[in-house]
Amino acid sequence: MADFSERIKQLRAEHGLTQDAVGKIIGVKRYSVYTYEKGLNYPEVRGLIILADYFKVSIDYLVGRTDNPEINR
């Protein structure tokens, strides 16, 4: 199962986004997104929610707790 750093990098690439673009989506600098992708740091909860909503995946999928990207609401 992939971890957060792999998932965020994969989703960013699939959507054709730069690290800078993802940073703007969640309100952080490009370097922060770089550290997420390297597994050196993690976004705050608000950032996780925004990313999950933007990419239309569950937070559990985003953080690597499941391989099912569907949102169960």
Side-chain angles (χ1 to χ4, degrees):
M1 203 174 313
D3 66 9
F4 175 75
S5 62
E6 295 166 322
R7 288 276 160 81
I8 189 64
K9 189 173 185 176
Q10 172 194 5
L11 288 166
R12 180 180 65 76
E14 287 175 3
H15 287 80
L17 298 171
T18 63
Q19 289 176 340
D20 188 52
V22 172
K24 287 179 181 174
I25 290 166
I26 60 174
V28 298
K29 297 192 181 299
R30 182 204 61 81
Y31 183 75
S32 293
V33 178
Y34 167 81
T35 65
Y36 303 159
E37 291 184 2
K38 292 295 182 184
L40 303 172
N41 203 355
Y42 299 92
E44 294 182 5
V45 172
R46 182 178 176 277
L48 284 174
I49 293 168
I50 293 169
L51 287 169
D53 287 347
Y54 182 85
F55 292 121
K56 296 179 177 54
V57 298
S58 70
I59 291 176
D60 281 347
Y61 176 79
L62 192 60
V63 299
R65 291 186 51 176
T66 181
D67 286 330
N68 180 0
E70 294 182 16
I71 301 168
N72 297 318
R73 292 187 183 178

